[in-house]
Amino acid sequence: MRKEVTDCLFCKIISKQIPADIVFENESVLAFNDISPQAPTHILVIPKKHIERISDLTEKDKGIIDELVFVAKGLAEERKIVESGYRLVINNNKDAGQAVFHIHLHLLGGRSLGWPPG
Ligand code: AMP
Ligand code: ZN
């Protein structure tokens, strides 16, 4: 059984206590549109397992980030943004701007993205 963290926004989206615009789901991963999109495609891809941040990953979590990347790759193909390009981002802690402490991979595309990020 998946251990839900009751005060975690994304765990509540996983358990459908809070609605989200879900675009992909399997047994270990969920993807939904970002509520405040920063690009025409802005999807968050999250593990169903509650892990707060990248720096909390342990050996037994190996493979989880792979899964997020593969789901994002497939969604980018669906959205036809492979040729134009897209960016995958995971923010870790305060200086990176992490606001929700349940690992999420941002898939951003559909417009030209500035670099370096702010
Ligand atoms: P980060 O700053 O990397 O932690 O990103 C958190 C992201 O979650 C932001 O892009 C928010 O717009 C997004 N977000 C916050 N609440 C929701 C929600 N209820 N549904 C979808 N996206 C959300
Ligand atoms: Zn969570």
Side-chain angles (χ1 to χ4, degrees):
M1 267 294 253
R2 199 179 60 80
K3 229 173 54 213
E4 181 179 322
V5 173
T6 48
D7 60 355
C8 171
L9 174 65
F10 288 175
C11 281
K12 287 188 175 131
I13 288 177
I14 292 163
S15 65
K16 315 276 160 63
Q17 286 173 261
I18 290 179
D21 190 5
I22 293 170
V23 297
F24 176 88
E25 180 163 19
N26 68 15
E27 64 188 21
S28 51
V29 176
L30 186 73
F32 48 94
N33 285 319
D34 195 291
I35 205 165
S36 174
Q38 302 302 309
T41 292
H42 187 175
I43 296 171
L44 301 177
V45 187
I46 70 173
K48 288 192 173 174
K49 179 177 179 185
H50 178 88
I51 305 167
E52 293 196 351
R53 50 180 83 70
I54 286 288
S55 50
D56 292 328
L57 287 168
T58 65
E59 284 288 313
K60 66 181 188 317
D61 299 317
K62 270 191 172 159
I64 286 182
I65 303 305
D66 260 39
E67 283 194 68
L68 303 186
V69 170
F70 272 91
V71 169
K73 174 184 184 286
L75 289 167
E77 287 160 5
E78 246 180 62
R79 302 297 161 110
K80 305 200 182 321
I81 54 169
V82 175
E83 288 299 313
S84 51
Y86 58 86
R87 184 172 293 161
L88 303 180
V89 176
I90 301 178
N91 294 318
N92 191 86
N93 271 347
K94 184 167 60 69
D95 278 359
Q98 185 176 5
V100 178
F101 289 87
H102 178 130
I103 287 179
H104 47 284
L105 176 69
H106 295 257
L107 165 62
L108 293 148
R111 70 168 171 85
S112 181
L113 301 161
W115 190 265

